[in-house]
C-alpha cells in the first residue's frame, strides 16, 4: 500500500478534514519519524503530535486499546466520559503538555483519524458475513466496546481545545448538528409491480399462511390500479406520510431508488422508468425532497454496473425535468468492498455515499458522524466523493436477527442515545428507515419519536 501513515498525501487530505472541522487551514508537516507539527499561517506557535505508524498502518483489527480520562487531566470530554484510545496500550501522563511555543500531544490523534476515516481496517478482509460484508463484530471498535462512540469526533474535540489554547484569538467554526433521514426504496409497492403469477402466489400465501384476507382482495385490485401512480391503499406506499413527517420537523428526506437487477431475488421488482415511479419521483422533487441511487445487490464489486445504474437514474430524472445538484445514495444490503465500491461511486460522478454503517450493530463505523472527503488509501489520493456515515438502520435496532430491540421503549432509547451522541459532538445523526417498514402503528410511532427527539419543529409547516 503506497499511502503508509504518515505521508504527504494523507497530510493534504487531513488538512482538508481539519479545515472543514475547525474553519481554518492548518498545515501539517513532519521531519522526524515520531512527531508531526500543526502550524497556522506565519505564527511561530506549533502543536506537536506523536506518530504511531505501527498501530495506524494496520489493515486489520489487532490494535492495542486503552482509555484516557480527559477530565482528570484538565480537559473537557465532549461526552463526559473517558475517551477510547485505540492504538495505545498505555498513555503517558500528562497526555498533553505545554512546551516552548505551543503544546505537545502524546497520542497520535491524526493517525487515528486516518486509520478510522480511510477504513484501512477493513481493506482486503476475508472474514465476511453471508452477504460478504465486513461485520461490526469483526471490528476493533466492537471488540473494545466503543462502536457507539464517535471516537474521531471526540479526539478532534480535544485537538480543538488545544488549538484554542495555542491560538486564543482564532475563532473556531461552530458545528451545525442535526439529523438526516433517508429511505432505501427496495419495495415502493407491495403488489403494484408483481407479475400475474406473483400476484396469484401472493394471494395464496396471504390466505393460507398469513390468514390475511384483506391482502387477498387488495393484491389484484392494487396491481391493476397502479399503472400510472402508486395506489393509496398499498401498504408500502408510505411516501406522503414520510414527507409529511419530515416537513413537520424541517427535514429533507432522501429516497434512494434501485436502477438495475443483478440478483433476481434480492433486487427490486420495479423499473425506474415505470410511470408510477416517475410520478413518485415527481412528487418527491416537487415537495423539495431528494432522489438518490440504491445500487443493486451484485454491483458492489462492479464499477461499470454502478456507473450504468447511476446514468439510468440521471437519465430518467432528466426526462422528467428533475434537476438536482447533489446525487448520492447507499448500497443495497449495505454491501461494500473497500475501496472498490467507494472508487466506483467516485468514478460514477456521484456526490456522496451513505453506506458506511454496519447492518448487525448501530454506531460509528468510521468513528465519526461528520461527512468527510473520501480517501483512496490504495491510490494514495483524496477523491471527489464525500462519505456520509450511516449511524443507524431501523432493522439493525428492531429485527430479531440483528440487535432485536423490537419497536418499543428499548429501541427508542437506543435511537435517542445515538442521536444525542451525534448532537453532543456537533455531528449528524444519519438514519435509514425503509419506506416498506411502516406496517404497524408501533413502527410509525417509533419513527416519529426518533425524528422529533430534540428536533426543533418549524412553526410554519404543521399541516400533516
Ligand atoms: Zn436495499
Amino acid at each position: 500500500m503506497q499511502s503508509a501513515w504518515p505521508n504527504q498525501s494523507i497530510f493534504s487530505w487531513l488538512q482538508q478534514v481539519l479545515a472543514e472541522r475547525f474553519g481554518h487551514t492548518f498545515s501539517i508537516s513532519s521531519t522526524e519519524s515520531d512527531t508531526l507539527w500543526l502550524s497556522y499561517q506565519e505564527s511561530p506557535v506549533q502543536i506537536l503530535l506523536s506518530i504511531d505508524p505501527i498501530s495506524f498502518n494496520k489493515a486489520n483489527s489487532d490494535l492495542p486499546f486503552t482509555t484516557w480520562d480527559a477530565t482528570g487531566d484538565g480537559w473537557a470530554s465532549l461526552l463526559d466520559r473517558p475517551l477510547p484510545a485505540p492504538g495505545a496500550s498505555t498513555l503517558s501522563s500528562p497526555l498533553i503538555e505545554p512546551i516552548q511555543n505551543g503544546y505537545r500531544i502524546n497520542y497520535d490523534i491524526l493517525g487515528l483519524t486516518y486509520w478510522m476515516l480511510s477504513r484501512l481496517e477493513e481493506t482486503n478482509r476475508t472474514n465476511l458475513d453471508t452477504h460478504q460484508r465486513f461485520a461490526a463484530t469483526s471490528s476493533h471498535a466492537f471488540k473494545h466496546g466503543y462502536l457507539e462512540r464517535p471516537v474521531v469526533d471526540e479526539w478532534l474535540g480535544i485537538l480543538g481545545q488545544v488549538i484554542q489554547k495555542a491560538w486564543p484569538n482564532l475563532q473556531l467554526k461552530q458545528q451545525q448538528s442535526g439529523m438526516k433521514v433517508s429511505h432505501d426504496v427496495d419495495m415502493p409497492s407491495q403488489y403494484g409491480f408483481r407479475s400475474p403469477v406473483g400476484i396469484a402466489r401472493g394471494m395464496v400465501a396471504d390466505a393460507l399462511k398469513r390468514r390475511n384476507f384483506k391482502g387477498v382482495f387488495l393484491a389484484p385490485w392494487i396491481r391493476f390500479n397502479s399503472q400510472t401512480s402508486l395506489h393509496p391503499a398499498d401498504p408500502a406506499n408510505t411516501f406522503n406520510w414520510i414527507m409529511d413527517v419530515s416537513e413537520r420537523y424541517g427535514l429533507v428526506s432522501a429516497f434512494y431508488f434501485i436502477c438495475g437487477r443483478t440478483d433476481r431475488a434480492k433486487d427490486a421488482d420495479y423499473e425506474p422508468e415505470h410511470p408510477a415511479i416517475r410520478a413518485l419521483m415527481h412528487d418527491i422533487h416537487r415537495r423539495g425532497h431528494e432522489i438518490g441511487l440504491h445500487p443493486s445487490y451484485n454491483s458492489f464489486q462492479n464499477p461499470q454496473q454502478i456507473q450504468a445504474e447511476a446514468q439510468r437514474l440521471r437519465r430518467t430524472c432528466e426526462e422528467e425535468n428533475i434537476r438536482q445538484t447533489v446525487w448520492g445514495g447507499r448500497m443495497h444490503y449495505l454491501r461494500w468492498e473497500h475501496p472498490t465500491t467507494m472508487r466506483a461511486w467516485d468514478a460514477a460522478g456521484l456526490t456522496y455515499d451513505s453506506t458506511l454503517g454496519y447492518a448487525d450493530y448501530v454506531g460509528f463505523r468510521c468513528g465519526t458522524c461528520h461527512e468527510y472527503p473520501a480517501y483512496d488509501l490504495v491510490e494514495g489520493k483524496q477523491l471527489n466523493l464525500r462519505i456520509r456515515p450511516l449511524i443507524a438502520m431501523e432493522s439493525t435496532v428492531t429485527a430479531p436477527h440483528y440487535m432485536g430491540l423490537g419497536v418499543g421503549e428499548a429501541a427508542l432509547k437506543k435511537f435517542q442515545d445515538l442521536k444525542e451522541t451525534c448532537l453532543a459532538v456537533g455531528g449528524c445523526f444519519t438514519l435509514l428507515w425503509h419506506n416498506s417498514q411502516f406496517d404497524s402503528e408501533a413502527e410509525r410511532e417509533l419513527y416519529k419519536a426518533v425524528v422529533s427527539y430534540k428536533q426543533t419543529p418549524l412553526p410554519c409547516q404543521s399541516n400533516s
Side-chain angles (χ1 to χ4, degrees):
M1 211 160 290
Q2 283 181 12
S3 55
W5 173 248
N7 74 25
Q8 199 50 51
S9 144
I10 303 175
F11 288 170
S12 331
W13 167 63
L14 285 177
Q15 278 174 201
Q16 169 79 21
V17 171
L18 296 188
E20 289 182 12
R21 195 66 62 114
F22 299 123
H24 296 278
T25 302
F26 299 92
S27 61
I28 304 172
S29 48
S30 152
T31 50
E32 290 171 27
S33 59
D34 65 344
T35 310
L36 60 81
W37 283 258
L38 214 62
S39 51
Y40 182 71
Q41 294 179 355
E42 302 305 311
S43 164
V45 174
Q46 288 182 328
I47 296 173
L48 272 54
L49 289 113
S50 51
I51 298 172
D52 180 358
I54 300 196
S55 282
F56 297 123
N57 279 313
K58 284 199 170 172
N60 58 41
S61 308
D62 293 335
L63 281 72
F65 179 77
T66 188
T67 57
W68 177 56
D69 180 10
T71 322
D73 261 8
W75 300 87
S77 152
L78 290 177
L79 298 179
D80 264 338
R81 293 159 70 189
L83 273 74
S89 50
T90 54
L91 291 171
S92 49
S93 183
L95 192 71
I96 302 168
E97 48 194 342
I99 51 168
Q100 201 187 6
N101 280 345
Y103 284 85
R104 181 181 175 91
I105 304 176
N106 296 304
Y107 176 63
D108 189 0
I109 297 178
L110 295 182
L112 170 72
T113 305
Y114 159 69
W115 187 76
M116 269 288 176
L117 300 192
S118 73
R119 302 312 301 131
L120 174 58
E121 179 185 19
E122 57 187 273
T123 308
N124 298 324
R125 290 291 282 257
T126 49
N127 54 330
L128 305 172
D129 75 2
T130 49
H131 295 292
Q132 290 161 276
R133 299 176 297 202
F134 177 64
T137 47
S138 301
S139 72
H140 186 265
F142 181 83
K143 288 176 182 163
H144 292 278
Y146 67 93
L147 183 55
E148 291 183 24
R149 301 285 296 273
V151 64
V152 168
D153 301 335
E154 293 185 56
W155 277 104
L156 291 184
I158 299 293
L159 182 59
Q161 292 169 54
V162 181
I163 289 174
Q164 203 65 90
K165 275 187 185 273
W167 295 284
N169 296 327
L170 219 52
Q171 280 272 335
L172 298 189
K173 186 174 160 186
Q174 288 293 311
Q175 299 296 328
Q176 288 255 317
S177 60
M179 91 175 279
K180 281 192 189 296
V181 281
S182 48
H183 318 277
D184 297 352
V185 185
D186 295 346
M187 191 173 74
S189 160
Q190 199 150 311
Y191 308 114
F193 305 105
R194 285 203 202 166
S195 66
V197 176
I199 286 285
R201 279 205 196 114
M203 288 166 75
V204 173
D206 274 341
L208 299 180
K209 279 194 219 147
R210 293 193 276 272
R211 318 283 301 162
N212 171 10
F213 297 104
K214 198 175 152 201
V216 175
F217 297 108
L218 264 183
W221 173 254
I222 288 175
R223 171 67 179 82
F224 295 107
N225 287 286
S226 301
Q227 310 294 335
T228 54
S229 62
L230 298 178
H231 197 282
D234 193 310
N237 181 10
T238 56
F239 298 95
N240 281 328
W241 183 84
I242 291 172
M243 290 189 277
D244 287 346
V245 174
S246 285
E247 287 163 19
R248 188 186 306 166
Y249 294 102
L251 297 171
V252 169
S253 270
F255 298 91
Y256 303 143
F257 288 86
I258 297 189
C259 296
R261 195 166 292 116
T262 48
D263 183 293
R264 282 206 147 273
K266 296 192 181 67
D267 286 322
D269 62 2
Y270 68 91
E271 311 296 333
E273 298 85 2
H274 189 285
I277 299 296
R278 288 178 186 266
L280 170 62
M281 288 179 177
H282 253 299
D283 263 6
I284 292 169
H285 187 64
R286 180 182 53 81
R287 291 182 65 164
H289 297 275
E290 181 191 333
I291 293 163
L293 183 68
H294 195 41
S296 64
Y297 187 76
N298 276 319
S299 67
F300 74 118
Q301 293 166 313
N302 187 342
Q304 287 78 20
Q305 181 69 28
I306 290 181
Q307 186 147 12
E309 294 181 11
Q311 277 170 354
R312 192 174 167 193
L313 178 68
R314 283 197 178 118
R315 190 173 55 237
T316 311
C317 286
E318 238 164 63
E319 287 163 5
E320 297 302 313
N321 267 322
I322 293 171
R323 308 210 187 278
Q324 295 185 154
T325 48
V326 166
W327 292 96
R330 172 180 302 115
M331 297 300 295
H332 191 33
Y333 279 72
L334 309 184
R335 291 187 105 194
W336 189 266
E337 182 181 87
H338 202 64
T340 323
T341 319
M342 181 178 77
R343 286 176 174 175
W345 277 77
D346 188 64
L350 293 157
T351 322
Y352 74 87
D353 171 88
S354 190
T355 306
L356 287 176
Y358 294 110
D360 51 341
Y361 281 90
V362 293
F364 303 89
R365 180 169 176 169
C366 306
T368 180
C369 49
H370 288 253
E371 192 179 292
Y372 63 93
Y375 184 78
D376 182 336
L377 40 62
V378 177
E379 287 286 321
K381 62 171 191 194
Q382 184 179 322
L383 305 179
N384 290 325
L385 181 74
R386 311 268 307 166
I387 300 293
R388 185 178 292 176
L390 170 66
I391 311 305
M393 164 167 84
E394 91 284 277
S395 57
T396 302
V397 172
T398 61
H401 58 280
Y402 290 138
M403 295 173 79
L405 298 180
V407 292
E409 279 303 312
L412 178 59
K413 174 86 171 64
K414 180 57 71 186
F415 285 120
Q416 286 175 333
D417 285 351
L418 287 165
K419 190 169 180 181
E420 213 161 290
T421 300
C422 295
L423 299 179
V425 297
C428 182
F429 174 53
T430 298
L431 172 69
L432 154 59
W433 205 295
H434 293 79
N435 67 287
S436 47
Q437 290 294 324
F438 289 110
D439 285 338
S440 67
E441 199 49 38
E443 284 168 301
R444 291 188 183 221
E445 286 306 316
L446 175 60
Y447 178 74
K448 279 197 286 187
V450 175
V451 166
S452 60
Y453 184 66
K454 302 213 163 173
Q455 198 79 20
T456 317
L458 287 184
C460 55
Q461 289 177 320
S462 56
N463 53 350
S464 51

